[in-house]
Amino acid sequence: MEGDNVYLPHVMKIEKVIRETQNIKTFHFNFKDESQKSKFSFKSGQFAEYSIFGEGEATFCVSSSPTRMDYLEFSVMKAGKVTAAIHELQEGDEIGFRGPYGNWFPLELLEGKNLVFVGGGIGLAPLRSLIWNVLDNRDTYEDVTILYGARSPADLSFKYDLEEWEKDDAVNMYTTVDNGDDDWTGRVGLIPPVLEEIGPTPENTVAITCGPPIMIKFTLMSLEKLGFTNDQILTTLEMKMKCGIGKCGRCNIGNIYVCKDGPVFTNAQIQNFLSNEF
Ligand SMILES: Cc1cc2nc3c(=O)[nH]c(=O)nc-3n(C[C@H](O)[C@H](O)[C@H](O)COP(=O)(O)OP(=O)(O)OC[C@H]3O[C@@H](n4cnc5c(N)ncnc54)[C@H](O)[C@@H]3O)c2cc1C
Ligand code: FES
């Protein structure tokens, strides 16, 4: 961070804006002070606090991969005040950025394993950071399966990534939508039943999932049906946050601070702290 004030953000410049869907945009950004760039590093799964002068701060993961550092990316679904202001940003505009914060996907535990990524909607943002990280070190992992779903074809984000993964022989790529349209020739179906149909083996496998709470709930049930244990499932939690650094108490579940102890947890850890909470 610049100086001693942990709340003081770096100034970043927006280099490119990609409209993913009607309510999701991805931003390529970089340090305004280029000398800061070489000092910065992050890991897949970590998040940051992004600020718009006069509007406030909001939390987003870094959705690009640490293996590709020409620029950083974050992807934003319009939800309220700050995200609406972020959607107005144009190439050349500036934002505040403090981070990276939180833990990350444990790459060393994923080595030599089959990986099953299950993402819904904007939930692909943190997963794609890890997916590109894995694909840039492809020989370190066994089978890579990606299942991505959205409500409709128009709601599919990161279509440029989906196309690349479709073409990649080293990836088993499945895309599904809840409801098709006249032009859609792909798969139609909710993520959990499609996952059961694909039927990945739990043997030597880790499933990594992120998406809306309802999708996560049923995806966890499907993974359980397929024989996955809670230790074999990783997810990233999106509790409301403020400071991002374990000081304000906004994000706690019992004595767990999601910003500091997470946001990446195994399902076993989540079940454990939820049972202590209630
Ligand atoms: C670790 C982490 C990573 C995240 N990564 C991303 C990301 O990559 N892309 C992305 O689009 N969003 C992400 N989010 C969610 C994002 O932080 C919120 O959508 C955002 O802060 C909303 O800000 P706002 O001022 O626009 O909305 P507000 O005006 O604050 O709220 C609008 C509505 O959204 C609800 N809301 C706000 N924050 C959250 C939250 N964290 N979870 C659930 N509901 C919320 C509010 O209760 C309200 O109903 C992440 C959250 C966390 C904690
Ligand atoms: S966001 Fe402040 S303690 Fe976690």
Side-chain angles (χ1 to χ4, degrees):
M1 299 296 297
E2 287 164 356
D4 292 324
N5 182 348
V6 289
Y7 294 105
L8 195 64
H10 287 289
V11 178
M12 306 297 239
K13 58 179 190 308
I14 302 289
E15 294 184 336
K16 186 174 172 185
V17 182
I18 301 169
R19 177 174 280 286
E20 302 283 357
T21 70
Q22 188 253 324
N23 65 349
I24 299 174
K25 284 186 176 177
T26 293
F27 301 86
H28 293 191
F29 66 106
N30 242 318
F31 290 83
K32 187 178 179 193
D33 174 358
E34 283 181 17
S35 69
Q36 295 296 319
K37 188 170 174 175
S38 56
K39 297 183 202 152
F40 179 80
S41 65
F42 75 102
K43 294 188 171 152
S44 295
Q46 288 193 294
F47 66 91
E49 292 295 329
Y50 299 73
S51 51
I52 300 268
F53 187 68
E55 297 292 345
E57 273 191 326
T59 315
F60 309 102
C61 69
V62 181
S63 63
S64 47
S65 167
T67 51
R68 299 172 177 209
M69 289 297 278
D70 286 351
Y71 51 83
L72 300 164
E73 289 174 82
F74 72 115
S75 303
V76 178
M77 187 167 82
K78 226 191 234 186
K81 185 167 169 251
V82 178
T83 49
I86 289 175
H87 268 238
E88 296 301 315
L89 290 172
Q90 309 286 330
E91 198 180 308
D93 286 346
E94 291 177 359
I95 51 161
F97 172 94
R98 57 182 183 92
Y101 296 139
N103 71 349
W104 48 85
F105 292 110
L107 277 178
E108 62 292 349
L109 297 183
L110 305 182
E111 284 179 12
K113 298 271 193 324
N114 304 311
L115 304 179
V116 178
F117 295 94
V118 187
I122 184 73
L124 191 56
L127 297 188
R128 78 187 275 272
S129 172
L130 180 60
I131 291 170
W132 281 119
N133 201 330
V134 162
L135 295 181
D136 287 342
N137 297 283
R138 185 64 189 87
D139 293 346
T140 313
Y141 309 91
E142 294 297 319
D143 285 356
V144 173
T145 300
I146 303 169
L147 168 58
Y148 176 58
R151 257 182 266 165
S152 74
D155 292 311
L156 291 167
S157 290
F158 311 108
K159 292 192 185 76
Y160 41 94
D161 285 343
L162 305 180
E163 273 169 28
E164 281 202 47
W165 299 333
E166 280 289 349
K167 280 190 237 146
D168 188 339
D169 291 340
V171 175
N172 308 310
M173 178 71 211
Y174 302 88
T175 306
T176 185
V177 293
D178 301 353
N179 300 295
D181 59 23
D182 290 347
D183 298 327
W184 179 252
T185 54
R187 196 176 276 96
V188 176
L190 297 173
I191 290 170
V194 172
L195 176 63
E196 288 177 37
E197 196 187 309
I198 299 167
T201 167
E203 205 174 312
N204 193 38
T205 304
V206 176
I208 305 121
T209 182
C210 186
I214 188 77
M215 176 217 120
I216 296 290
K217 180 178 167 193
F218 287 101
T219 296
L220 292 178
M221 286 160 64
S222 295
L223 286 168
E224 193 184 335
K225 267 196 218 166
L226 290 165
F228 283 76
T229 63
N230 286 335
D231 279 323
Q232 289 174 280
I233 303 170
L234 286 167
T235 190
T236 166
L237 292 183
E238 292 199 353
M239 295 296 288
K240 269 197 114 169
M241 291 183 185
K242 197 169 164 73
C243 69
I245 51 175
K247 293 199 187 296
C248 72
R250 182 74 168 270
C251 68
N252 71 305
I253 307 175
N255 55 7
I256 297 288
Y257 286 84
V258 175
C259 68
K260 207 160 51 81
D261 303 313
V264 176
F265 296 100
T266 64
N267 198 35
Q269 289 171 312
I270 294 174
Q271 296 312 321
N272 186 32
F273 60 65
L274 285 180
S275 65
N276 289 336
E277 163 90 331
F278 300 110

